[in-house]
Amino acid sequence: MRQPRIVIVGAGFAGFHAARKLSRHLKGRAEVVLVNPTDYSLYLPLLPEVAAGVLDPRRIAVSLTDTLPGVRLVLGTVDHLDVAAKRVHYRDPEEARGELGYDRLVLAVGSVNKVLPIPGVAEHSHGFRGIPEAIYLRDHLIRQIELAASAEDPVERAARCTFVVVGAGYTGTEVAAAGQLLTKALTRRHPQLRDQPVRWLLLDRAERVLPELSPRLGATAARVLRRRGVEVRPGTSVEEATAAGVALTDGEFVPTRTIVWSAGVRPDPVVADIGLATLQGRIEVDEFLAVPGYPEIFACGDAAAVPDLTRPGEICAMTGQHAERQGNAVARNIAASLGRGTARPYKHHDLGFVVDLGGMQAAAKPLGIPLSGLPAKVVTRGYHLMAMPSNRIRTAVDWALDALLRRQSVQFGLVRSPAVPLDTADPELPAPPPRVPAAR
């Protein structure tokens, strides 16, 4: 008798944990297939530390073949779903076409950068959702400091030493915190920049930093950043971006060569193309994470509009904490649909939040207890080590080396600006170079 096939699309927090739990729970009773553009799952919360040169990129790239031994990995990007034939169609890394039939389907395609219709933003900004973007940003920060050190024009030098981060949520706050410490360390190595101010601006339309968290934690983060010299600008955003800088909504023009865009995310564009009902741009599901009208299809993570049973009438936020637990929940409910266990609705209360502010600073609220400074840092790093599926020892070693040794400042230039466009459906993959028409 043929084993049922469960196809999981996407290996972010939701897809990874769904695959791991299903492979363990249904070992030998079902075939679990994971379709993903890369052979790793990205531990996204530590991406800012890659951009700051604290962690090697491989530390946060969790090997799917090593950590999911009972799962068949198919490298590819799904771009079409045939619900009538129960088949997914995908494109592999070499542009070959493929398709898979399924008995159960999990859509965990995640999210991409949310690009707002602001003039120049798409052309002159870079997002922060994948390793290529983090590698690019690290090289870019080092390059700007080095170019500033050799610049004779004081206007150019000031622009290269000015860095603008748009979006003061988790990602933007951590990028500004880690990036400011990196550029501070870099300028010490260039006598030409001894008297040159290095500006970091953190912008957000919201009236405070970290609007997702409690006002107390947001105020703690803002205080730490301002103490370091970061210009925290709540209630301010970008009106226009150009190659020379950004025009702000408060009327100021800031000359800069660096705009980091972290003003929110949106579901993967494939969600709009697969023909399933959506809610707020996300796949509509019930409390069991099943798609209404298609009991064999489930969705979870950032791409799914999961009802929040702790807040009736609302849907769950797009956070890693929800995605991980929804992945586990969808695995349990799929197993139940195949006769193993009992299905249960998804209901989760937040266990707390951690925000790394670089150095020995952090803000955390584990189990409702607000912390800052060194205690928060210990909790933050301890949480990440427990949450990471692998690479814990290597990550801890990198942290120890960063505390003891001077940070390395070599930029290789392997990821250039055209390879990491802001508006991309695959932030985890460098964009291919534009094709040059053949000469006639």
Side-chain angles (χ1 to χ4, degrees), residues 1 3 49 66 93 98 104 111 150 158 171 178 180 233 250 254 320 332 345 347 357 369-370 376 404 416 435:
M1 182 177 177
Q3 287 185 336
E49 298 202 44
D66 287 344
R104 299 291 186 275
S111 56
S150 62
T171 302
Q180 186 272 336
R233 303 274 195 95
D250 63 4
V254 179
R332 180 183 62 240
K347 185 176 183 180
L357 299 175
I369 304 171
L404 296 173
R416 306 299 291 185
R435 294 185 178 181

mmCIF file of all heavy atoms in Angstrom, residues 1 3 49 66 93 98 104 111 150 158 171 178 180 233 250 254 320 332 345 347 357 369-370 376 404 416 435:
data_model
loop_
_atom_site.group_PDB
_atom_site.id
_atom_site.type_symbol
_atom_site.label_atom_id
_atom_site.label_comp_id
_atom_site.label_asym_id
_atom_site.label_seq_id
_atom_site.Cartn_x
_atom_site.Cartn_y
_atom_site.Cartn_z
ATOM 1 N N MET A 1 0.849 -1.204 0.000
ATOM 2 C CA MET A 1 0.000 0.000 0.000
ATOM 3 C C MET A 1 0.881 1.251 0.000
ATOM 4 O O MET A 1 1.851 1.335 0.748
ATOM 5 C CB MET A 1 -0.902 0.005 1.242
ATOM 6 C CG MET A 1 -1.845 1.191 1.317
ATOM 7 S SD MET A 1 -2.933 1.082 2.752
ATOM 8 C CE MET A 1 -3.816 2.620 2.593
ATOM 9 N N GLN A 3 2.380 4.764 0.754
ATOM 10 C CA GLN A 3 2.359 5.673 1.894
ATOM 11 C C GLN A 3 1.809 7.035 1.464
ATOM 12 O O GLN A 3 2.061 7.480 0.343
ATOM 13 C CB GLN A 3 3.774 5.867 2.444
ATOM 14 C CG GLN A 3 4.336 4.683 3.191
ATOM 15 C CD GLN A 3 5.690 5.023 3.795
ATOM 16 O OE1 GLN A 3 6.384 5.922 3.330
ATOM 17 N NE2 GLN A 3 6.069 4.302 4.827
ATOM 18 N N GLU A 49 23.550 40.008 13.684
ATOM 19 C CA GLU A 49 24.905 39.737 14.154
ATOM 20 C C GLU A 49 25.803 39.252 13.024
ATOM 21 O O GLU A 49 27.028 39.372 13.093
ATOM 22 C CB GLU A 49 24.872 38.735 15.299
ATOM 23 C CG GLU A 49 24.113 39.253 16.518
ATOM 24 C CD GLU A 49 24.514 38.548 17.801
ATOM 25 O OE1 GLU A 49 25.723 38.342 18.029
ATOM 26 O OE2 GLU A 49 23.600 38.198 18.572
ATOM 27 N N ASP A 66 20.999 17.596 7.582
ATOM 28 C CA ASP A 66 21.571 17.130 8.850
ATOM 29 C C ASP A 66 20.528 17.072 9.960
ATOM 30 O O ASP A 66 20.561 16.180 10.816
ATOM 31 C CB ASP A 66 22.721 18.041 9.282
ATOM 32 C CG ASP A 66 23.960 17.853 8.432
ATOM 33 O OD1 ASP A 66 24.032 16.834 7.722
ATOM 34 O OD2 ASP A 66 24.855 18.728 8.473
ATOM 35 N N PRO A 93 16.938 25.307 -8.743
ATOM 36 C CA PRO A 93 17.965 26.358 -8.853
ATOM 37 C C PRO A 93 18.571 26.501 -10.236
ATOM 38 O O PRO A 93 19.198 27.521 -10.529
ATOM 39 C CB PRO A 93 19.020 25.912 -7.829
ATOM 40 C CG PRO A 93 18.280 25.091 -6.841
ATOM 41 C CD PRO A 93 17.235 24.375 -7.628
ATOM 42 N N GLY A 98 9.634 21.162 -12.213
ATOM 43 C CA GLY A 98 9.296 19.918 -11.549
ATOM 44 C C GLY A 98 7.930 20.012 -10.913
ATOM 45 O O GLY A 98 7.367 21.106 -10.772
ATOM 46 N N ARG A 104 -1.310 15.434 1.605
ATOM 47 C CA ARG A 104 -1.466 16.570 2.518
ATOM 48 C C ARG A 104 -0.445 17.618 2.090
ATOM 49 O O ARG A 104 0.675 17.298 1.705
ATOM 50 C CB ARG A 104 -1.213 16.179 3.983
ATOM 51 C CG ARG A 104 -2.151 15.132 4.539
ATOM 52 C CD ARG A 104 -3.563 15.644 4.716
ATOM 53 N NE ARG A 104 -4.415 14.660 5.374
ATOM 54 C CZ ARG A 104 -5.049 13.671 4.752
ATOM 55 N NH1 ARG A 104 -4.910 13.527 3.438
ATOM 56 N NH2 ARG A 104 -5.810 12.822 5.427
ATOM 57 N N SER A 111 7.542 35.157 4.437
ATOM 58 C CA SER A 111 7.297 36.548 4.069
ATOM 59 C C SER A 111 8.516 37.154 3.399
ATOM 60 O O SER A 111 9.615 36.608 3.447
ATOM 61 C CB SER A 111 6.924 37.362 5.316
ATOM 62 O OG SER A 111 7.936 37.238 6.317
ATOM 63 N N SER A 150 39.289 57.755 2.678
ATOM 64 C CA SER A 150 40.115 58.214 1.559
ATOM 65 C C SER A 150 39.512 59.403 0.817
ATOM 66 O O SER A 150 40.140 59.950 -0.095
ATOM 67 C CB SER A 150 40.347 57.064 0.570
ATOM 68 O OG SER A 150 39.117 56.617 0.021
ATOM 69 N N ALA A 158 31.058 62.904 4.903
ATOM 70 C CA ALA A 158 29.943 62.906 5.853
ATOM 71 C C ALA A 158 28.810 62.006 5.380
ATOM 72 O O ALA A 158 28.194 61.286 6.181
ATOM 73 C CB ALA A 158 29.436 64.328 6.058
ATOM 74 N N THR A 171 13.741 44.040 13.833
ATOM 75 C CA THR A 171 14.872 43.980 12.914
ATOM 76 C C THR A 171 15.597 45.304 12.825
ATOM 77 O O THR A 171 16.817 45.372 12.971
ATOM 78 C CB THR A 171 14.397 43.540 11.518
ATOM 79 O OG1 THR A 171 13.766 42.268 11.612
ATOM 80 C CG2 THR A 171 15.565 43.444 10.561
ATOM 81 N N ALA A 178 23.520 46.975 16.281
ATOM 82 C CA ALA A 178 24.724 46.224 15.920
ATOM 83 C C ALA A 178 25.575 46.990 14.919
ATOM 84 O O ALA A 178 26.812 47.001 15.013
ATOM 85 C CB ALA A 178 24.330 44.857 15.349
ATOM 86 N N GLN A 180 25.837 50.264 14.470
ATOM 87 C CA GLN A 180 26.509 51.416 15.075
ATOM 88 C C GLN A 180 27.778 50.985 15.794
ATOM 89 O O GLN A 180 28.815 51.663 15.706
ATOM 90 C CB GLN A 180 25.543 52.117 16.045
ATOM 91 C CG GLN A 180 26.071 53.419 16.625
ATOM 92 C CD GLN A 180 26.889 53.226 17.884
ATOM 93 O OE1 GLN A 180 26.725 52.221 18.585
ATOM 94 N NE2 GLN A 180 27.755 54.184 18.189
ATOM 95 N N ARG A 233 14.269 58.582 15.705
ATOM 96 C CA ARG A 233 13.286 59.547 15.225
ATOM 97 C C ARG A 233 11.898 58.914 15.120
ATOM 98 O O ARG A 233 11.462 58.515 14.036
ATOM 99 C CB ARG A 233 13.695 60.061 13.845
ATOM 100 C CG ARG A 233 15.082 60.713 13.771
ATOM 101 C CD ARG A 233 15.027 62.183 14.125
ATOM 102 N NE ARG A 233 16.245 62.858 13.719
ATOM 103 C CZ ARG A 233 16.416 63.510 12.583
ATOM 104 N NH1 ARG A 233 15.422 63.570 11.712
ATOM 105 N NH2 ARG A 233 17.553 64.103 12.305
ATOM 106 N N ASP A 250 9.797 65.019 7.999
ATOM 107 C CA ASP A 250 9.832 66.249 8.800
ATOM 108 C C ASP A 250 10.499 67.400 8.053
ATOM 109 O O ASP A 250 10.727 68.473 8.620
ATOM 110 C CB ASP A 250 10.541 66.000 10.130
ATOM 111 C CG ASP A 250 12.007 65.600 9.969
ATOM 112 O OD1 ASP A 250 12.509 65.596 8.818
ATOM 113 O OD2 ASP A 250 12.650 65.272 10.983
ATOM 114 N N VAL A 254 18.749 64.200 4.361
ATOM 115 C CA VAL A 254 19.923 63.592 4.979
ATOM 116 C C VAL A 254 20.794 62.974 3.892
ATOM 117 O O VAL A 254 20.410 61.972 3.281
ATOM 118 C CB VAL A 254 19.523 62.508 6.003
ATOM 119 C CG1 VAL A 254 20.766 61.866 6.617
ATOM 120 C CG2 VAL A 254 18.634 63.100 7.086
ATOM 121 N N GLY A 320 8.314 34.947 14.730
ATOM 122 C CA GLY A 320 8.938 33.632 14.754
ATOM 123 C C GLY A 320 8.358 32.737 15.818
ATOM 124 O O GLY A 320 8.254 31.515 15.643
ATOM 125 N N ARG A 332 0.902 18.169 14.245
ATOM 126 C CA ARG A 332 0.021 17.368 15.099
ATOM 127 C C ARG A 332 -1.330 17.131 14.429
ATOM 128 O O ARG A 332 -1.870 16.009 14.444
ATOM 129 C CB ARG A 332 -0.174 18.075 16.439
ATOM 130 C CG ARG A 332 -1.085 17.337 17.422
ATOM 131 C CD ARG A 332 -1.292 18.135 18.701
ATOM 132 N NE ARG A 332 -1.943 19.414 18.416
ATOM 133 C CZ ARG A 332 -1.395 20.596 18.701
ATOM 134 N NH1 ARG A 332 -0.201 20.657 19.241
ATOM 135 N NH2 ARG A 332 -2.051 21.709 18.430
ATOM 136 N N PRO A 345 -7.083 22.860 18.250
ATOM 137 C CA PRO A 345 -6.966 24.221 17.700
ATOM 138 C C PRO A 345 -5.681 24.881 18.174
ATOM 139 O O PRO A 345 -5.157 24.550 19.243
ATOM 140 C CB PRO A 345 -8.205 24.934 18.241
ATOM 141 C CG PRO A 345 -8.576 24.173 19.472
ATOM 142 C CD PRO A 345 -8.204 22.745 19.210
ATOM 143 N N LYS A 347 -3.691 27.641 19.845
ATOM 144 C CA LYS A 347 -3.878 28.705 20.831
ATOM 145 C C LYS A 347 -2.572 28.875 21.579
ATOM 146 O O LYS A 347 -2.067 27.929 22.174
ATOM 147 C CB LYS A 347 -5.012 28.352 21.804
ATOM 148 C CG LYS A 347 -5.353 29.477 22.783
ATOM 149 C CD LYS A 347 -6.549 29.103 23.654
ATOM 150 C CE LYS A 347 -6.950 30.242 24.570
ATOM 151 N NZ LYS A 347 -8.120 29.891 25.416
ATOM 152 N N LEU A 357 20.664 44.382 21.687
ATOM 153 C CA LEU A 357 21.074 45.750 21.373
ATOM 154 C C LEU A 357 22.573 45.875 21.194
ATOM 155 O O LEU A 357 23.125 46.970 21.235
ATOM 156 C CB LEU A 357 20.582 46.706 22.473
ATOM 157 C CG LEU A 357 19.062 46.755 22.661
ATOM 158 C CD1 LEU A 357 18.692 47.630 23.837
ATOM 159 C CD2 LEU A 357 18.384 47.253 21.388
ATOM 160 N N ILE A 369 8.486 39.346 32.798
ATOM 161 C CA ILE A 369 9.413 40.044 33.688
ATOM 162 C C ILE A 369 10.317 40.952 32.862
ATOM 163 O O ILE A 369 11.152 40.466 32.093
ATOM 164 C CB ILE A 369 10.275 39.041 34.482
ATOM 165 C CG1 ILE A 369 9.384 38.068 35.249
ATOM 166 C CG2 ILE A 369 11.221 39.775 35.431
ATOM 167 C CD1 ILE A 369 10.143 36.917 35.877
ATOM 168 N N PRO A 370 10.206 42.279 32.968
ATOM 169 C CA PRO A 370 11.038 43.176 32.149
ATOM 170 C C PRO A 370 12.474 43.208 32.649
ATOM 171 O O PRO A 370 12.732 43.356 33.847
ATOM 172 C CB PRO A 370 10.353 44.538 32.320
ATOM 173 C CG PRO A 370 9.631 44.457 33.625
ATOM 174 C CD PRO A 370 9.233 43.024 33.809
ATOM 175 N N ALA A 376 19.437 41.030 30.825
ATOM 176 C CA ALA A 376 18.669 40.814 29.592
ATOM 177 C C ALA A 376 19.547 40.186 28.517
ATOM 178 O O ALA A 376 19.077 39.357 27.731
ATOM 179 C CB ALA A 376 18.091 42.138 29.104
ATOM 180 N N LEU A 404 36.519 38.750 23.090
ATOM 181 C CA LEU A 404 37.930 38.738 23.451
ATOM 182 C C LEU A 404 38.836 39.389 22.404
ATOM 183 O O LEU A 404 39.888 39.945 22.758
ATOM 184 C CB LEU A 404 38.400 37.290 23.666
ATOM 185 C CG LEU A 404 37.751 36.534 24.837
ATOM 186 C CD1 LEU A 404 38.180 35.078 24.822
ATOM 187 C CD2 LEU A 404 38.134 37.197 26.161
ATOM 188 N N ARG A 416 27.035 42.060 -4.450
ATOM 189 C CA ARG A 416 26.956 43.460 -4.838
ATOM 190 C C ARG A 416 25.506 43.934 -4.822
ATOM 191 O O ARG A 416 24.568 43.134 -4.752
ATOM 192 C CB ARG A 416 27.560 43.665 -6.226
ATOM 193 C CG ARG A 416 28.967 43.137 -6.360
ATOM 194 C CD ARG A 416 29.943 43.810 -5.403
ATOM 195 N NE ARG A 416 30.160 45.207 -5.763
ATOM 196 C CZ ARG A 416 31.041 45.999 -5.153
ATOM 197 N NH1 ARG A 416 31.755 45.538 -4.152
ATOM 198 N NH2 ARG A 416 31.195 47.248 -5.529
ATOM 199 N N ARG A 435 20.733 39.680 -17.960
ATOM 200 C CA ARG A 435 21.269 39.063 -19.166
ATOM 201 C C ARG A 435 21.640 40.139 -20.198
ATOM 202 O O ARG A 435 20.872 41.064 -20.437
ATOM 203 C CB ARG A 435 20.251 38.093 -19.771
ATOM 204 C CG ARG A 435 19.984 36.877 -18.884
ATOM 205 C CD ARG A 435 19.054 35.906 -19.593
ATOM 206 N NE ARG A 435 18.835 34.715 -18.775
ATOM 207 C CZ ARG A 435 18.077 33.702 -19.153
ATOM 208 N NH1 ARG A 435 17.468 33.732 -20.328
ATOM 209 N NH2 ARG A 435 17.930 32.647 -18.362
#
